[in-house]
Every structure is written in C-alpha cells, then in structure tokens.
Amino acid sequence: MTVEEKLDNFRTICVENARKDSAKAQSAARTKLEASFEEHKEQKNETLRTRVYEETIEVRREFNRIESERRAEIRRKMAKRQAVIENRIFEAVERKLAEFRKSPEYGEYLVRKVNEAIDFAEGESITVYIDPSDQESVGPLLKKRGVSPTVSKESFGGGVRVVLNKSRILIDNSFKKKLEEAREWFSFDGGNGDG
C-alpha cells in the first residue's frame, strides 16, 4: 500500500469515526434537549394549571360576592314590599275595627268580654275600663247589664280592659293590644325567601 492509499484509508476511518462520534453526540444532545423540553413543558403546564385554579377560585369568590349582594338586595326589596303590604293590611283592619265599633254588635261584644272576665274572676271584684271614645255609646249599655265601667285616661282603640282588684290581674281585651299582638305574630309565609 502506498502512502496515498494509507492516507485515504486513514481519512476514511477518521471521517467514519468522526461521523459515528458526531451521531452519538447529536443523539445524546437531542435526548438531553427533548428531556429538558419535556421538563420545561411540564413546568409550564403546572404553572398554567395553578394559575387556572387560582383564577377559577377568584372568579368563584367574585361570583359568590356578587350573588350575595344580589340576594341581600332582593331581601331588602322584599322586606320593604312586605312592610308596605303589612301596613296596608293593618290599616284595613283598623278601618274594619272602626266600622265595627259603630255597629250594635260592638256593644254586645264588649258585654260578652266583660261577662267572660266576671266568670274568670269567680266572685272577685273587678274594675272595667272602656276607651274614652266609647263613653257615650257603650257606657250606658254596660250599665244596663249591671256593670259600671270606668273611662280610661288613655285611649286603647276600643275593646275593654278588666282588672281583678284583689289579685291585680289585667285582662286586656283592648283592640290596641290585639293589634300589637297581631303585628308581632304576623308573617308572610311561602314565596322565595330564605326563611
């Protein structure tokens, strides 16, 4: 073999070894880059998932805050509307009571309430109080039934108040008291409220 052939052979072997080494280095670099890329993608995906989760929580909080405010506003509006309706109802009741107080049945109602108090007292002396506005209309009727009513110093909207003198028990059948109790226990049932 000539020197030229030896050089050609040496060059071919060197080039072949260089190609093999280059291919190995390239393959190792590619594997390393792909692993690094996968790790980078996973980090970015994790960051993205965390961000989406945090933003989802923030959106839910904001939604809940807005929903809570909306419900509170609806409750306020309902409460105002119910107060208006309740006032109208009780104004109508007061008008009906005023009409009832002008009827003959009103006197009979008072006599019945006084008789119930007398039965309850079981012989104990009683004092019957009537509203000042009933003095002219109802006072004589009660006197005919054997009861001497005392005119109250304060108006209580009709009805009667009876005091058992010995035991100091008050039987309050005044319309003012009945209306107060009705307002206290009055409630709207049904609807879309929270209670």
Side-chain angles (χ1 to χ4, degrees):
M1 243 189 180
T2 65
V3 174
E4 284 289 320
E5 289 174 340
K6 286 182 182 179
L7 278 174
D8 265 348
N9 196 17
F10 179 70
R11 191 181 324 128
T12 304
I13 291 173
C14 284
V15 168
E16 194 60 37
N17 283 340
R19 280 189 186 146
K20 286 180 183 177
D21 288 346
S22 173
K24 283 182 185 175
Q26 200 175 20
S27 177
R30 177 170 299 198
T31 302
K32 188 175 179 181
L33 283 174
E34 284 175 353
S36 179
F37 178 66
E38 288 301 318
E39 185 180 326
H40 177 73
K41 271 184 12 182
E42 186 57 38
Q43 286 175 348
K44 286 295 182 182
N45 285 340
E46 183 61 30
T47 301
L48 183 62
R49 282 192 294 271
T50 301
R51 186 172 174 197
V52 167
Y53 176 76
E54 289 170 352
E55 288 184 11
T56 301
I57 288 174
E58 186 58 35
V59 166
R60 284 185 183 149
R61 279 188 192 130
E62 183 65 13
F63 174 79
N64 288 341
R65 183 190 63 78
I66 291 169
E67 182 68 11
S68 177
E69 288 174 1
R70 186 184 69 81
R71 286 181 183 209
E73 180 61 25
I74 289 170
R75 281 192 296 272
R76 280 192 293 276
K77 286 180 181 178
M78 283 180 60
K80 284 181 185 177
R81 185 67 182 144
Q82 287 176 342
V84 167
I85 292 170
E86 182 178 334
N87 286 335
R88 286 183 184 165
I89 289 170
F90 281 97
E91 286 170 4
V93 169
E94 288 172 4
R95 282 192 303 274
K96 295 269 187 195
L97 284 175
E99 291 172 17
F100 176 63
R101 288 180 70 193
K102 295 175 186 173
S103 71
E105 290 83 16
Y106 176 61
E108 294 303 317
Y109 167 80
L110 292 183
V111 168
R112 191 170 57 252
K113 290 299 173 186
V114 169
N115 286 336
E116 288 172 7
I118 290 170
D119 290 344
F120 180 79
E122 296 179 340
E124 185 178 334
S125 67
I126 62 170
T127 303
V128 177
Y129 292 94
I130 61 172
D131 192 84
S133 61
D134 291 338
Q135 183 176 1
E136 299 297 321
S137 60
V138 179
L141 178 65
L142 289 173
K143 284 182 183 175
K144 284 182 188 176
R145 302 292 171 109
V147 176
S148 274
T150 302
V151 178
S152 175
K153 292 179 181 170
E154 68 172 88
S155 176
F156 47 80
V160 308
R161 289 180 174 163
V162 178
V163 174
L164 281 66
N165 295 325
K166 182 179 176 189
S167 57
R168 306 297 300 158
I169 294 175
L170 170 67
I171 302 172
D172 194 346
N173 282 312
S174 66
F175 290 168
K176 179 180 179 181
K177 180 69 173 173
K178 299 285 184 201
L179 281 170
E180 286 172 1
E181 289 172 353
R183 275 190 184 269
E184 182 180 331
W185 290 99
F186 184 81
S187 70
F188 286 94
D189 293 331
N192 294 326
D194 287 351

